[in-house]
Amino acid sequence: MSAPAPRSELPTLPVTFRPTRTRVVLLTVGAAMFVVITVIALTLEQLSAGERSSFIFTALLFFGVLALLSRPKIVANEGGVTVVNLTRTRRLSWAEILRVNLRVGDPWVFLDLSDGTSMPALGIQPGIAKQQAIRDARALRALAENHGTGTDNG
C-alpha cells in the first residue's frame, strides 16, 4: 500500500518563479561576449570607425538575444498569475488555470486553461535546476488548486 503524495505547502503570495540558474548563465555569457567582442573591435587597429561600430552593434545584438531568453518568469498573487514568456506577457485569473503540468521530458511547465488550450509557462524550466523546477511546479499547482478551479479544489 503506497502513501498518498505529500501535498505541497502553499507559498506566501505574491511569489515569483523563474529559472534563476539559467538566467545567470545567459546573462553572464551575454556580458562576457559583449566585453570580448567590444575589446577586439577597439584593439584591432586596421578597423575603421564604421567597422568598429558594427562589431559593437553585433555584440549588443547577441547580448540582447540572451537577455530576451533570460526574461521568462511566473508571478502569482491573490488575483491570479502573470506569465512572462520570451515576447509575450499574459495575465490569467486563478479560475482560468485548470491544471499545472510538468511531465518527464517537458522543457517547461504547461498550464491547462479553461478555454481548452494549453499554455507554455517558461518561468519554470527543469533544464539545469531540475529539482527546483519540480518544487516550483508543485507549488504553482498547489496554488492553482487552492485558489482556482483545479482538480483538488475543495
Side-chain angles (χ1 to χ4, degrees):
M1 178 159 57
S2 64
R7 184 168 178 125
S8 297
E9 200 169 303
L10 291 178
T12 305
L13 294 178
V15 62
T16 300
F17 302 103
R18 82 172 47 207
T20 306
R21 287 185 192 164
T22 302
R23 181 180 167 93
V24 167
V25 168
L26 289 170
L27 293 176
T28 302
V29 168
M33 284 177 49
F34 178 76
V35 168
V36 168
I37 293 171
T38 301
V39 167
I40 289 171
L42 296 176
T43 58
L44 290 177
E45 295 175 9
Q46 68 270 24
L47 295 180
S48 68
E51 290 170 328
R52 284 189 175 129
S53 299
S54 69
F55 265 72
I56 294 170
F57 175 76
T58 302
L60 190 59
L61 189 63
F62 284 152
F63 181 76
V65 168
L66 293 177
L68 184 67
L69 291 172
S70 72
R71 183 175 182 254
K73 66 181 176 179
I74 301 167
V75 180
N77 60 30
E78 292 296 333
V81 175
T82 302
V83 178
V84 179
N85 285 335
L86 296 179
T87 59
R88 269 189 90 200
T89 299
R90 184 165 174 197
R91 179 78 181 147
L92 301 166
S93 69
W94 287 113
E96 291 179 86
I97 302 171
L98 300 179
R99 180 112 172 117
V100 176
N101 294 306
L102 181 60
R103 294 176 288 267
V104 175
D106 281 350
W108 39 72
V109 161
F110 287 90
L111 305 177
D112 291 341
L113 304 178
S114 61
D115 65 1
T117 63
S118 182
M119 177 183 177
L122 281 65
I124 300 175
Q125 311 174 3
I128 58 176
K130 186 176 181 179
Q131 293 307 316
Q132 182 62 45
I134 291 169
R135 282 190 300 273
D136 289 350
R138 285 180 178 152
L140 184 58
R141 177 181 292 164
L143 285 168
E145 290 173 350
N146 187 59
H147 289 82
T149 58
T151 55
D152 288 340
N153 198 26

